[in-house]
Amino acid sequence: MKTKSSSWSVAQSDDLYGFKRWGNGHLSVDDDGFVAMQPLTDGRSVRIVDVVNEARSMGLKAPMVIRFQDLLRHRVIQLNELFNKAIKEEGYKGSYRGVFPIKVNQLREVVDEIVAAGKDYNYGLEAGSKPELMIALAMHEGSQRLIICNGYKDNDYIRLALLGRKLGKKIILVVEQLSELDEIIRLSAETGVKPLIGFRAKLQTRGEGKWALSSGENAKFGLNTAEILFAIEKLRAAKLTQSLRLVHFHIGSQVPNILTIKNAVVEASRVYCQLAKMGFPMGYLDVGGGLGIDYDGSRTNFESSMNYSMEEYARDVVFNIREICNSMDVEVPDIVSESGRAIVAPHSLLVVEVFERINKRESLGQQHQPEEKHKVVQDLETLLRNKTKLGRLERFHDALQKKDEAFSLFNLGYLDLENRAAAESLFWQICEQIAKEGRKAGYQPEELHELDTLLADQYVCNFSVFQSLLDHWALKQLFPIAPLHRLNEKPTVNAILVDITCDSDGKIASFIDLQDVKDYITLHPLNKQPYYLGIFLTGAYQDIMGDLHNLFGRVNEVHVFLEDDEPNGFYIEEALSGSRIADVIEGVQYQQEDLCRKMKAQIDAATKKDMVKPREGVRLLELYESQMLNKTYLNIEKKAAKAKRSH
C-alpha cells in the first residue's frame, strides 16, 4: 500500500528492514505501516505498538522487553516435531530427547513456558552450574525427561545430582575433566546411588563463527581420546561400567555452516560406537548446542546467519548418526540436543524510544556567521557553490584539505572560534552535497563510500547497550532493528543509535544488511510523537547477561498471549516492573535508609547555616527520597502516539 503523500509503500519498508528474510514468517508490516507479530504463523497477528500502548496504560514505558509466550511454545514444539519427522522419514529406531540449556535464559517465566510446552515430548533441561541444577531439580517433571549436568562440578554439585537420582529423575552427570570422575565414583559409593554418566568428547572438528575457539583441541571442556580411555579404566575398576550412558560434544554457539555440524556428528558417532562395542550400555548421543538463528536473513555461512534450516539440521543429525551406527553394526542411540538460542531468541524483542536527534551539520556554526570571514572559510564557500563544476572526488579532497587547514590555523592562533565553526559547518554541508550527488549518479568512488557513515545522525534512545544488548557491545553480535510504525512513510535519515550511558561505546553502529554489515540504519525524521524501534531476536543471553553499568538495571517487561476468541486479540498475562533506583543501589551494597539519613544530615546542616530555607530543605529531602522509588531510565514525557487497537 502506498501513501497519498509519497510513492513509498509498506512493501518497500518490509524489504528495506528485511522482516520476511529474518522474521521466519512471524513478522509483517500491515497496510497502515505497523509491524505485526504472528506468534503461531496462523494468520493471527498483534501490532507491537498496540502492546506498547497497552503497557503504557498499565504504567510501563519503554525501554521494555516484550515476550510473545505463544511463540516460545511454538519453537519448542517445532524443534521436537521436526526431529520426530526426521526420525520417521529416516527409519531411525531411536527417539529424540532434547533439553533446554538454562544458561541461555534462566528467567522463571521462560523456563516455566518451555517446561510446559515440552511436556508431551519429554523435553528436559540442561544445567551448567549449581544454581541452574537447583532450578532444574525443582522444575523437572516426569521420569523420562532428562537433566543433563554440564560444567565444572564440586562435591555439592555431584551430591545434588545424586539426590535427583534418588528421586527417580533421569540425571546424567557429564564428565568434563578426569578429576570429576574420581569424585563421582567416591560420592556414588558414599551415598549408595548409582549415577548415570556421560563423557564429553573433545573433538578434532572445530566450530565456526564467533564461538569457533570454544571448540577443538584447545577447548575449555572435554576429554581427549587418551583421557576417555583412562576414564574407562576408572569406571571398570569401580564396577560402574553400567553407568556410562552418554557421549556429548559441543562445537560452539551459533554455528553458521551445516557442514561443520555434519562433521562433528560423524566424529562423535564414531566415538559413541567404539564405546558401545567395548561393552558399555550407552543409549544417548548428545550433539550439544550450535543450532543457529539467521539474524540477518541472508541464509549464508556468515557468522550472524546460518546456511541451513531447523528442519535440515534435524534431518542431517538423524541421518549421519544412523549411517555411522549402521556401518559399525551398533544400535542407534536416543538423540539429545541442547538447542537454546534457536528456542528462545525469536520470542522476545526490546522496544526502545528515540527521544533526540543529534545532527552535526545543523549544530555547527550555521547560526554564527563570523563578522570577518577568513580566507579558508571563503574557499569552503566557493567549494560549496561549485561554480567551476569540480568532480565529487576532487571537491571532497579539497574540502578535507581546507578543514585540516582550518584546524591548524586555529591551533596556531590565526583563526577565531567563529571562523572555525563556520569552516566545520561548511565542510559537512559539502560532504552532504557530494553524498546526495553520488546517490543520484549510482556509481561512488571507493574513497566516498564512507560519506554516508560520516554524515549519519545520532538517534538517542532511552536504554543501555550494556544492560540489554551486551552481546552487541562485547561480541559485535548483530540484531535486526526496525521502526515499529510509520512504515508507510519513506525513511530519509541515516542514523546510528546511541544509548543514555556515559560511555562513548554505548551505541549501535553496526546493522544487518543482505550483502554486508551496514554502519548506519535509515530511519524516519522525528516529530512530536513517540518514535519506537524494535530490536528483535534478543531472547537468548541478552535478558540475563546484562550488568549494572551506570546502575540502570532491568527494563520493564510484559508477557503477551493471543486471545482465542478474537481474530487479532491479545492480552498481557504478566507485567514486570523494571528496576527502581533503590533496587540497583542496594545491589551494590548501599542501603536506601542509610543514604536518605546521610542526605537529611547534610540538608539539616545546610539549613542551620542558612544556605537553604527550612521549607526548601524539606522539599529537597522529599525529592531525594521520592526518587528512590522511581525507575532508573529516563522519564520521557511525550504525547502518546495514536494507534488503532486490535483487541
Side-chain angles (χ1 to χ4, degrees):
M1 177 181 176
K2 294 188 177 182
T3 62
K4 294 178 181 178
S5 58
S6 76
S7 61
W8 190 257
S9 69
V10 294
Q12 287 170 289
S13 284
D14 200 325
D15 184 60
L16 174 65
Y17 297 111
F19 296 109
K20 283 187 174 69
R21 293 193 298 271
W22 51 262
N24 209 21
H26 294 288
L27 289 159
S28 60
V29 183
D30 68 22
D31 289 345
D32 294 319
F34 291 90
V35 178
M37 173 69 80
Q38 296 186 43
L40 301 177
T41 63
D42 61 355
R44 291 182 292 170
S45 64
V46 176
R47 280 183 177 175
I48 297 174
V49 166
D50 284 355
V51 177
V52 174
N53 289 335
E54 179 82 359
R56 282 178 65 95
S57 72
M58 302 166 73
L60 302 179
K61 299 179 181 179
M64 174 193 310
V65 168
I66 300 177
R67 299 190 192 284
F68 288 93
Q69 301 293 70
D70 296 286
L71 177 49
L72 183 56
R73 296 179 72 94
H74 175 76
R75 294 294 285 185
V76 173
I77 293 168
Q78 186 179 26
L79 178 66
N80 280 275
E81 288 291 343
L82 287 174
F83 262 102
N84 289 343
K85 178 185 176 186
I87 284 169
K88 183 178 179 181
E89 290 177 350
E90 296 295 336
Y92 193 87
K93 303 301 182 184
S95 302
Y96 175 64
R97 287 287 180 267
V99 295
F100 173 69
I102 296 176
K103 71 175 181 181
V104 180
N105 197 319
Q106 297 105 326
L107 297 177
R108 176 198 55 78
E109 52 271 20
V110 172
V111 177
D112 257 348
E113 209 65 51
I114 289 170
V115 169
K119 183 178 181 181
D120 293 337
Y121 301 97
N122 290 314
Y123 192 66
L125 296 169
E126 181 268 347
S129 67
K130 279 188 290 187
E132 289 180 359
L133 178 55
M134 293 181 77
I135 291 171
L137 286 169
M139 299 291 290
H140 180 271
E141 300 170 353
S143 60
Q144 294 307 306
R145 292 188 180 198
L146 296 176
I147 295 180
I148 302 293
C149 296
N150 291 321
Y152 286 108
K153 303 167 192 70
D154 62 9
N155 291 346
D156 291 336
Y157 187 135
I158 297 167
R159 283 194 179 95
L160 282 169
L162 295 176
L163 165 66
R165 288 287 298 134
K166 274 192 172 183
L167 297 175
K169 297 180 184 292
K170 197 165 278 188
I171 299 178
I172 301 179
L173 281 159
V174 177
V175 176
E176 314 269 9
Q177 312 289 340
L178 268 178
S179 58
E180 291 176 357
L181 186 56
D182 294 328
E183 292 306 305
I184 292 171
I185 291 170
R186 183 179 68 80
L187 291 170
S188 170
E190 180 185 298
T191 59
V193 178
K194 294 289 185 184
L196 296 179
I197 293 173
F199 289 165
R200 178 162 173 171
K202 191 178 287 187
L203 303 183
Q204 292 290 311
T205 305
R206 281 187 55 176
E208 288 186 47
K210 294 181 182 296
W211 289 269
L213 295 179
S214 67
S215 59
E217 289 181 324
N218 294 320
K220 178 179 174 182
F221 296 112
L223 308 177
N224 60 33
T225 308
E227 288 171 330
I228 288 174
L229 294 176
F230 280 126
I232 286 170
E233 292 174 7
K234 289 176 183 288
L235 286 178
R236 283 178 172 154
K239 294 182 170 52
L240 286 176
T241 55
Q242 293 303 303
S243 290
L244 182 58
R245 298 297 180 89
L246 175 141
V247 168
H248 173 282
F249 72 86
H250 182 64
I251 52 170
S253 183
Q254 181 65 24
V255 178
N257 194 345
I258 191 65
L259 286 176
T260 304
I261 293 168
K262 288 180 181 180
N263 292 336
V265 169
V266 167
E267 185 182 352
S269 298
R270 294 283 183 193
V271 175
Y272 176 91
C273 290
Q274 290 284 344
L275 291 172
K277 282 183 168 293
M278 294 170 76
F280 294 96
M282 306 310 292
Y284 300 98
L285 177 54
D286 186 344
V287 299
L291 175 57
I293 285 288
D294 195 354
Y295 288 97
D296 66 8
S298 65
R299 190 70 187 273
T300 65
N301 61 357
F302 177 58
E303 61 188 18
S304 288
S305 184
M306 54 193 283
N307 62 6
Y308 57 96
S309 66
M310 188 186 284
E311 183 174 9
E312 290 168 321
Y313 171 83
R315 189 167 57 243
D316 283 348
V317 168
V318 171
F319 173 82
N320 283 287
I321 295 174
R322 188 202 67 190
E323 287 296 286
I324 298 301
C325 289
N326 287 351
S327 70
M328 296 184 69
D329 196 26
V330 170
E331 186 177 339
V332 297
D334 284 349
I335 298 170
V336 182
S337 78
E338 301 176 5
S339 299
R341 184 188 301 270
I343 293 293
V344 297
H347 91 284
S348 78
L349 69 146
L350 175 70
V351 177
V352 300
E353 183 176 354
V354 182
F355 65 91
E356 187 176 356
R357 174 186 176 185
I358 300 174
N359 181 320
K360 59 172 70 76
R361 280 94 66 211
E362 292 175 359
S363 62
L364 288 175
Q366 289 185 345
Q367 306 303 317
H368 302 281
Q369 294 297 326
E371 292 182 10
E372 186 176 337
K373 291 181 182 176
H374 192 280
K375 185 177 183 302
V376 72
V377 173
Q378 294 172 358
D379 290 345
L380 283 164
E381 286 179 334
T382 301
L383 274 175
L384 181 64
R385 290 192 294 269
N386 193 26
K387 290 183 177 179
T388 56
K389 300 299 178 186
L390 296 175
R392 282 177 283 142
L393 193 58
E394 187 176 358
R395 269 155 55 221
F396 181 62
H397 288 158
D398 288 352
L400 272 176
Q401 181 187 353
K402 292 299 176 183
K403 178 174 174 276
D404 291 342
E405 183 182 337
F407 177 68
S408 297
L409 288 168
F410 179 79
N411 277 352
L412 293 169
Y414 298 119
L415 195 72
D416 60 27
L417 201 61
E418 288 80 6
N419 273 284
R420 176 177 170 174
E424 288 177 1
S425 177
L426 286 163
F427 170 77
W428 290 117
Q429 290 176 64
I430 292 165
C431 288
E432 191 167 47
Q433 184 185 73
I434 293 168
K436 284 181 180 176
E437 290 172 11
R439 289 182 212 120
K440 292 177 182 177
Y443 169 73
Q444 192 85 304
E446 192 169 338
E447 281 187 71
L448 301 181
H449 282 178
E450 301 301 317
L451 267 184
D452 282 333
T453 303
L454 282 173
L455 291 165
D457 291 347
Q458 293 181 350
Y459 270 34
V460 188
C461 305
N462 188 17
F463 84 115
S464 163
V465 166
F466 307 97
Q467 175 64 35
S468 298
L469 288 178
L470 196 62
D471 274 359
H472 180 80
W473 172 74
L475 297 168
K476 307 304 177 190
Q477 174 68 54
L478 299 180
F479 293 95
I481 300 173
L484 297 178
H485 51 143
R486 296 177 60 186
L487 294 170
N488 54 354
E489 303 173 31
K490 184 175 182 178
T492 56
V493 181
N494 293 334
I496 65 170
L497 308 181
V498 298
D499 69 7
I500 58 171
T501 67
C502 62
D503 282 70
S504 57
D505 52 352
K507 62 183 179 181
I508 302 175
S510 298
F511 302 88
I512 65 166
D513 189 41
L514 191 56
Q515 302 297 328
D516 203 350
V517 177
K518 285 198 304 188
D519 297 323
Y520 57 86
I521 184 172
T522 307
L523 299 172
H524 303 92
L526 299 184
N527 54 30
K528 293 182 180 180
Q529 302 298 315
Y531 188 57
Y532 295 115
L533 302 178
I535 304 174
F536 296 85
L537 305 180
T538 57
Y541 298 102
Q542 307 317 298
D543 286 316
I544 205 68
M545 291 185 71
D547 64 6
L548 282 175
H549 185 274
N550 272 165
L551 299 185
F552 279 117
R554 285 190 68 176
V555 302
N556 294 322
E557 183 175 316
V558 293
H559 305 160
V560 178
F561 281 91
L562 292 170
E563 279 188 344
D564 293 331
D565 56 349
E566 289 192 37
N568 294 319
F570 70 91
Y571 65 95
I572 293 176
E573 183 208 42
E574 190 171 12
L576 304 177
S577 191
S579 300
R580 303 174 307 164
I581 292 174
D583 300 329
V584 295
I585 64 172
E586 288 183 2
V588 285
Q589 287 79 56
Y590 296 94
Q591 296 301 314
Q592 174 185 347
E593 296 81 4
D594 184 46
L595 292 181
C596 289
R597 187 170 60 252
K598 288 177 181 290
M599 200 68 198
K600 183 179 185 305
Q602 293 182 52
I603 291 172
D604 288 346
T607 303
K608 287 179 181 178
K609 294 178 182 178
D610 205 26
M611 295 167 64
V612 296
K613 300 298 180 186
R615 185 172 295 176
E616 185 183 6
V618 170
R619 286 200 302 270
L620 287 173
L621 185 59
E622 286 176 349
L623 172 65
Y624 185 84
E625 290 177 341
S626 67
Q627 286 300 308
M628 284 287 184
L629 303 179
N630 281 358
K631 300 292 179 61
T632 57
Y633 292 90
L634 301 185
N635 184 19
I636 299 170
E637 294 296 339
K638 278 189 179 182
K639 193 175 179 181
K642 292 181 180 179
K644 292 181 181 178
R645 305 299 284 272
S646 61
H647 70 295

